[in-house]
Amino acid sequence: MNTSEAIRSRRSIRKYKKADIPDDHIKLILEAAMHAPSACNTRSWEFVVLKSEKAKQAAVEIHPYAKHLADASIGIIVCARPELQTGISEGFFPQDCGAAIQNILLQSLELGYGSCWCGIYPGEKSVPLFSDTFNLTSIPVALVVIGVAAEIPVKRGFYDKNKITVL
């Protein structure tokens, strides 16, 4: 699958088949995340893999839009480390984490898995809930749900020339 196909084939999956993801695939997914660009190469992120049923259930109970994690293989909490950014890179952790998340989604697709990006940051309730539940010292930005898809939703993205200004 080339990049263009991956971008246009990616869907947000909310129904999964019970299946394990091999550890080498999890490593490839995390490696792809860590190859994302970041402001001044600060790499202001870290990742928490929710693999056990107990950990996944804890996330399901606190995220109102991640109930599908119960049937998925894993969840990855993408966390920000803004203290790593200084000077001109300061404050760019949401973009850094967003780029890492997109790489997670595309690498998961190439490996044959479905995924869904569930936002956490800047939620006033969800950030402290995730921080407390998982003993995080960094800022939880998103929960990415990954597993074997039990659905293929219709395409929702499209090219819209009305959103483009050429100067």
Side-chain angles (χ1 to χ4, degrees), residues 37-96:
S38 65
C40 298
N41 199 34
T42 53
R43 301 166 47 85
S44 61
W45 50 56
E46 59 186 26
F47 308 90
V48 178
V49 179
L50 306 180
K51 197 171 177 183
S52 72
E53 291 304 316
K54 181 180 177 185
K56 292 190 304 180
Q57 188 57 39
V60 165
E61 289 175 12
I62 60 176
H63 198 301
Y65 303 106
K67 305 302 182 206
H68 47 294
L69 176 58
D71 293 323
S73 305
I74 64 169
I76 298 175
I77 303 172
V78 179
C79 299
R81 304 266 322 271
E83 74 279 5
L84 298 177
Q85 297 182 321
T86 58
I88 63 170
S89 68
E90 191 171 348
F92 285 94
F93 68 88
Q95 293 90 325
D96 294 355

